[in-house]
Amino acid sequence: MILLGGVFSAASLAMRGIALGQGEAVRPVLSGRGQAWKIVEDRATPDGALTLHSSTGETIKLSRFLESYEAPAGVPYCGLSFPRLALAEADLLADTLLRGEDDPDEMAVRDAAPSVDSHFESEQVGRIVWTSFIGTPQADDVMPLTPAGNTRNWHVDRIAPELHAGAPLVAHRREGLLGGDLPIIVKQFQTGPGRYWEVMVFAETDTTEIHQVPSWQRVTLVSNGKVERVVYGTSYPPFGPFRPDPDESQFNAALLRCVFFWRKTQIGQMQIHLPRADWSDIATHGFVKELIVRRGGTGARYGVVDRDYAGPEYDGFQDIFTASLYANLVWGRFDQAKAILIDQFEHFVTPDGLVAMRGPEVGQTGLTLSLLALYARLSGDLAVLQRYQLKIGAMAQVLVALHDKALGLPDADPAHGLIAGWSESDACLFPDPSIWWKPYFSNSGLAARGLEDGAILWRALAPGETALSEDWLKRAKQLRARVNEALSSSIQHDQSPPYVPILPGVSESFRKSLLTHRYSEQQWAHRVYAELLQSGVLTPDLENQLINSMRAHGATVMGVVGNLAPPSAESRDMLGFISYGYALALLRQDRIREFILFLYAHRYHIHTRGSWTASEVAGLRGELALFCLPAQMTLPILLREALVHEDENGTTLHLARGVPRSWVWSESGIAVSDAPTRWGKISFTLRRRSDGSRLDMWVTAERALPDTIRLALRLPKSRIPRSVTGSLPPHALVLSGAALVIHPGDVRDSRIEIILKST
């Protein structure tokens, strides 16, 4: 309902201490959540906020955070020629960006290549041109948006002809999200000094439509802080007197509904505060995108719009389930995690333990078991897992049967004891899928992890079936040992650094194999490497050798796992999904500078600018890329682990392990609230004093703090920890190199002060 009366005025706002600045305007009064609301919009700068003020004093400030599609400043590709970096075995971009001892420079990473979706033909063959989308959890589809902000039904250039497809004005736009993370897309197109068109687009949230996405549009011409023209739109263009354009009050009321709806979906999840709000926003926006993409908010879907990847034949793809379940669990979104789990096991897991997908992936089957155990550990909900106990048991027995087959091979066979099977479901699209029925190291690595974690889960689900859980644990131990043994004996030490293959007993590198064979058994080497590292079953020495090999021998691009293909002077692509397993290993091995490079590169070269649509695969030339949901889940997973990370032995909780030095040293500090862990929900704050003399830390737990907490002290080189005091006894606080090791004992909270000295 739209209130017609003037509850607010400029004078009444001033009386409440809300002063209107230059370019701000008071909008009509609206109702929502039982209150009257006034919208105040700042037009003094293009980045001015839109603020909601309620009659009871509540204020919601929605910033405009926009990123530019302008070409990178300076020489692209860090001064390297594109053919050289594309053909080189070594990751030359990573080598350049990691020079020196400091963290990689964020802006240098951003400008190292054109942004995704920034350079393409306006009519790319085989695909409509869209770079972002809007939608609601209610709908089973989304509405794509063109670079100019057109929906499929309502075109911006009807209002502003200069915003036509292919116009330089459109190519050089600024784009972002209102409020930083809300699915309210804002695009700005500068027409001259102080003059620009702004397009705002979002989906109606108060709808029962499941087959359509009702939309709202606003096109505004702003000149020197003043609105010269504004046009409002809904799903369709006006049709004479029968379907007029909406007015300002109708648009603002829909905007208010949208804000309230999406903010409600974030209640109960872990909250993070970082020195730069855009970093926390890009993580929380990942969950917004997920609710839009999934049918009805929970039904599995890989991509959107294009038949590849929005077709239902993709819905059973295991990576959709594993990436989403992982991300939602570690952010404390247990209701969504449960809904995803139910959807997967009701619709896609069959009684024999396989998935309704063309080619079940062995590694992802093991990862599924591990994540089910994580679900039980973090949520405490065994009931939903007991509902699917038979299917869970059958899934584990698939790995057992494959392991038995591997054990039946002769001892002299390099594949003895290693699980053979497809690592990638796409193997089934080729004439002879048996080419890829191979003992990839990742199959056994994630199977070992899945059987080990699955055995612990099984003890809780079926305490009387100890023989089964003991067998799984025994097999997990065998697989872990065999993977380490086989990998170690397969390393090619005649190369520098030594080359680590994806299969036992092979002499060809994946690059040579891809160049030599039409159908190469090493076609999806990127998946094998990333999954093996995610399993965490390798010894630290082997894990580091594998990381070194990947970076030196063609498997990474700008510090992110590459989408590995035959070498070409024309392309070298980055992998948006799956690759987070590589980043987790970097964190585990304290290769933090490389981990931070991964964060920066993934954000700026896998995601579109501002509206943050993640790509399955992204080129380095600004090509049009395809969205996939697992890629969107990568940064939420990694930011959580960078801030709050549990070691695999369950003995140590790492805090701030993977954050940039600039974040630690920021006066605004770092804060995490209600991060779910095996010890219950944990919260902590880290903030430096304004004079740089000390860091203040607070840590609290829902139950009791873990036995050991390790706080990473990634400080500037000019600051060295000198001493530490706090509410804990001195022996419980130990400075150890660039970390503070805390042994809190049986307490639920502690305040700690770290005194610093200058060098």
Side-chain angles (χ1 to χ4, degrees):
M1 180 179 73
I2 307 300
L3 299 182
L4 300 179
V7 174
F8 294 101
S9 65
S12 66
L13 286 171
M15 289 177 64
R16 294 173 48 225
I18 302 169
L20 294 181
Q22 180 183 0
E24 291 184 332
V26 179
R27 302 303 183 196
V29 177
L30 311 168
S31 67
R33 297 201 310 209
Q35 304 175 61
W37 293 83
K38 177 68 71 176
I39 293 179
V40 178
E41 193 161 10
D42 180 5
R43 288 293 187 185
T45 68
D47 298 317
L50 186 152
T51 307
L52 308 175
H53 298 281
S54 80
S55 54
T56 61
E58 183 180 353
T59 297
I60 301 175
K61 186 175 182 178
L62 303 173
S63 62
R64 278 180 173 82
F65 177 80
L66 298 104
E67 294 183 302
S68 175
Y69 273 83
E70 289 287 351
V75 181
Y77 309 119
C78 300
L80 301 165
S81 73
F82 189 85
R84 182 187 172 199
L85 72 87
L87 290 172
E89 270 203 79
D91 186 347
L92 299 182
L93 288 174
D95 291 347
T96 303
L97 292 164
L98 287 168
R99 282 177 184 162
E101 298 181 0
D102 292 333
D103 288 345
D105 181 273
E106 183 175 349
M107 294 301 99
V109 177
R110 182 196 66 183
D111 294 339
S115 60
V116 66
D117 288 6
S118 66
H119 183 71
F120 53 87
E121 297 298 323
S122 60
E123 294 297 332
Q124 187 164 323
V125 176
R127 169 175 175 191
I128 65 169
V129 174
W130 61 273
T131 57
S132 55
F133 56 88
I134 57 173
T136 67
Q138 299 95 307
D140 59 7
D141 210 339
V142 304
M143 176 60 73
L145 300 182
T146 69
N150 300 338
T151 68
R152 298 293 285 168
N153 301 316
W154 202 95
H155 284 206
V156 172
D157 54 1
R158 184 172 57 85
I159 311 302
E162 57 264 54
L163 302 183
H164 60 83
L169 204 63
V170 173
H172 298 155
R173 68 192 179 279
R174 299 174 74 229
E175 184 164 321
L177 302 168
L178 189 66
D181 61 348
L182 299 172
I184 303 171
I185 295 179
V186 179
K187 297 170 182 273
Q188 291 181 353
F189 312 90
Q190 188 170 358
T191 61
R195 195 168 190 268
Y196 60 92
W197 283 103
E198 180 180 89
V199 176
M200 184 180 292
V201 191
F202 61 93
E204 172 60 64
T205 53
D206 185 16
T207 176
T208 57
E209 290 285 350
I210 61 171
H211 301 307
Q212 294 183 344
V213 179
S215 62
W216 291 89
Q217 293 81 220
R218 187 182 74 177
V219 182
T220 310
L221 180 61
V222 181
S223 181
N224 297 318
K226 295 182 180 180
V227 174
E228 288 191 1
R229 186 185 179 198
V230 59
V231 176
Y232 300 93
T234 53
S235 300
Y236 305 106
F239 183 72
F242 308 100
R243 183 194 288 153
D245 281 325
D247 61 23
E248 180 183 34
S249 293
Q250 291 171 311
F251 177 87
N252 286 344
L255 180 68
L256 197 70
R257 292 193 294 272
C258 184
V259 171
F260 293 159
F261 178 91
W262 287 107
R263 284 287 184 253
K264 189 175 180 180
T265 67
Q266 298 171 4
I267 294 174
Q269 72 182 33
M270 177 182 73
Q271 300 294 322
I272 63 175
H273 167 84
L274 301 175
R276 291 250 308 277
D278 50 308
W279 274 101
S280 55
D281 286 342
I282 196 172
T284 55
H285 182 68
F287 299 110
V288 171
K289 275 279 204 305
E290 182 194 33
L291 289 172
I292 291 173
V293 170
R294 286 181 170 272
R295 294 180 175 89
T298 59
R301 183 163 56 182
Y302 186 58
V304 295
V305 183
D306 303 277
R307 192 64 175 79
D308 289 340
Y309 300 145
E313 67 274 13
Y314 287 87
D315 294 351
F317 192 42
Q318 290 156 282
D319 300 77
I320 306 171
F321 173 69
T322 54
S324 286
L325 185 64
Y326 187 179
N328 279 280
L329 281 176
V330 296
W331 276 72
R333 296 173 57 86
F334 296 145
D335 288 344
Q336 179 69 0
K338 180 177 181 178
I340 291 168
L341 194 158
I342 291 172
D343 176 74
Q344 182 74 3
F345 275 80
E346 284 290 333
H347 302 297
F348 301 109
V349 179
T350 52
D352 57 5
L354 301 181
V355 292
M357 180 61 179
R358 57 190 178 226
E361 298 165 336
V362 175
Q364 291 294 309
T365 300
L367 181 57
T368 294
L369 293 172
S370 185
L371 290 174
L372 294 178
L374 181 66
Y375 177 87
R377 186 166 73 239
L378 295 184
S379 74
D381 175 22
L382 286 178
V384 69
L385 296 172
Q386 287 169 334
R387 187 190 315 176
Y388 303 113
Q389 181 175 332
L390 293 178
K391 288 185 177 181
I392 294 170
M395 186 176 288
Q397 290 304 109
V398 169
L399 300 179
V400 167
L402 292 173
H403 187 220
D404 279 340
K405 190 173 182 179
L407 292 172
L409 296 174
D411 290 348
D413 191 323
H416 172 78
L418 294 172
I419 291 179
W422 295 314
S423 71
E424 166 62 55
S425 69
D426 283 355
C428 292
L429 298 178
F430 293 85
D432 183 10
S434 68
I435 292 171
W436 297 282
W437 193 272
K438 293 292 192 305
Y440 300 108
F441 289 129
S442 58
N443 289 351
S444 295
L446 278 175
R449 174 61 64 194
L451 288 173
E452 182 177 312
D453 293 341
I456 297 170
L457 173 63
W458 198 254
R459 288 172 179 170
L461 295 180
E465 298 183 23
T466 56
L468 198 58
S469 60
E470 289 300 320
D471 179 59
W472 296 353
L473 283 173
K474 176 184 174 183
R475 291 174 183 275
K477 186 176 181 180
Q478 285 178 302
L479 283 166
R480 183 187 285 258
R482 182 64 185 122
V483 169
N484 280 276
E485 177 190 39
L487 185 75
S488 181
S489 62
S490 298
I491 294 175
Q492 298 171 20
H493 291 279
D494 58 337
Q495 301 191 47
S496 180
Y499 176 78
V500 180
I502 67 170
L503 284 161
V506 298
S507 58
E508 285 184 322
S509 69
F510 71 84
R511 277 193 146 201
K512 184 177 180 181
S513 180
L514 290 170
L515 278 172
T516 305
H517 306 284
R518 181 183 180 189
Y519 298 122
S520 166
E521 65 182 359
Q522 301 192 54
Q523 183 158 336
W524 296 284
H526 44 261
R527 178 183 283 277
V528 177
Y529 283 137
E531 289 186 342
L532 177 58
L533 288 170
Q534 183 167 357
S535 72
V537 302
L538 298 181
T539 64
D541 176 64
L542 285 179
E543 195 158 84
N544 277 303
Q545 286 193 66
L546 176 52
I547 293 168
N548 293 339
S549 175
M550 290 178 67
R551 185 169 148 191
H553 297 300
T556 69
V557 183
M558 207 187 303
V560 177
V561 178
N563 185 57
L564 305 182
S568 165
E570 301 300 318
S571 65
R572 187 156 180 176
D573 298 342
M574 305 168 75
L575 193 65
F577 84 124
I578 303 173
S579 56
Y580 64 93
Y582 173 81
L584 291 171
L586 294 174
L587 188 67
R588 188 164 52 241
Q589 297 304 327
D590 281 323
R591 301 175 68 143
I592 305 305
R593 296 173 65 248
E594 292 166 89
F595 178 82
I596 291 169
L597 174 60
F598 187 105
L599 284 182
Y600 291 166
H602 200 282
R603 172 188 167 158
Y604 289 110
H605 299 288
I606 296 295
H607 293 72
T608 59
R609 295 289 163 89
S611 55
W612 295 329
T613 301
S615 311
E616 181 200 53
V617 174
L620 290 180
R621 292 186 157 182
E623 300 96 325
L624 201 62
L626 278 170
F627 163 85
C628 82
L629 183 57
Q632 196 80 48
M633 296 290 98
T634 296
L635 283 185
I637 290 170
L638 295 183
L639 279 171
R640 149 61 200 247
E641 299 293 350
L643 291 161
V644 180
H645 176 73
E646 301 178 48
D647 75 329
E648 63 176 14
N649 298 320
T651 58
T652 302
L653 180 69
H654 295 264
L655 301 180
R657 188 176 194 176
V659 301
R661 294 182 190 275
S662 60
W663 294 7
V664 176
W665 196 241
S666 168
E667 194 172 343
S668 62
I670 296 169
V672 175
S673 298
D674 296 330
T677 71
R678 68 179 70 237
W679 302 280
K681 292 184 178 179
I682 300 287
S683 301
F684 83 96
T685 301
L686 186 66
R687 184 178 297 123
R688 75 169 173 88
R689 299 281 179 91
S690 58
D691 62 2
S693 65
R694 64 201 64 204
L695 291 174
D696 291 317
M697 178 191 181
W698 296 266
V699 59
T700 62
E702 182 181 29
R703 298 195 291 270
L705 290 168
D707 292 339
T708 304
I709 298 173
R710 185 180 185 276
L711 171 68
L713 298 174
R714 305 198 74 248
L715 300 170
K717 295 186 183 299
S718 60
R719 291 291 191 276
I720 298 176
R722 185 179 67 193
S723 59
V724 58
T725 63
S727 57
L728 295 172
H731 69 268
L733 302 169
V734 181
L735 287 170
S736 175
L740 171 64
V741 179
I742 307 167
H743 301 288
D746 190 20
V747 300
R748 292 179 56 184
D749 60 84
S750 180
R751 182 184 183 279
I752 298 164
E753 187 178 80
I754 306 161
I755 296 90
L756 307 173
K757 67 177 180 178
S758 301
T759 58

